Amino acid sequence: MAAGDNKAALRHAMECFSDPACRTAYFDLYTDETVLHGYPGVEPGLESIKQFYAAFWAAFPDARLTASDMLGEGDSLACRFRIDATHRGEFLGVPSTGRPISFEGITILRFAGGRCVERWSQADFLGVLQQIGALPAR
């Protein structure tokens, strides 16, 4: 599949991530066996991925995901992203604070047959914990 098709698939998934009305379609990006790297506690497979995002969206129901850059070659796609949201539910043991959060990250996806089969991500979750008051600011 061409890098442009993979970009289109990721853009569609990102739109669904940000729209509570179609969030379940976000998971169309992944196969049943997808492996995520950089997500502690997320086991290989779609069910574990769904559990992770269900907890994330429960904590940040208005989460908006935007891409800053997308670079693709062959079956790989790299994307720099930002998430903006409001802390409305428990996150990593921290009760809702109502505080706004914003953080950036980068992710690299490997595609097969138009779907992500493996993904590596780094995001500033330490910054999120600081923004919700769970850790002192730097």
Side-chain angles (χ1 to χ4, degrees), residues 25-110:
Y26 170 76
F27 300 109
D28 293 344
L29 179 66
Y30 302 106
T31 68
D32 289 341
E33 297 82 27
T34 298
V35 177
L36 299 187
H37 305 277
Y39 293 82
V42 178
E43 298 295 322
L46 186 57
E47 288 309 310
S48 187
I49 294 168
K50 285 180 176 181
Q51 290 172 7
F52 171 83
Y53 282 107
F56 183 84
W57 289 322
F60 304 102
D62 64 345
R64 292 168 316 284
L65 174 61
T66 54
S68 301
D69 295 302
M70 267 191 216
L71 305 167
E73 184 174 326
D75 65 356
S76 294
L77 180 62
C79 178
R80 193 166 54 92
F81 65 87
R82 187 181 79 236
I83 294 179
D84 297 289
T86 309
H87 183 215
R88 300 275 185 220
E90 183 179 313
F91 180 67
L92 299 177
V94 179
S96 171
T97 62
R99 293 181 179 180
I101 61 128
S102 182
F103 68 99
E104 294 186 345
I106 191 162
T107 191
I108 301 168
L109 303 92
R110 185 173 62 82

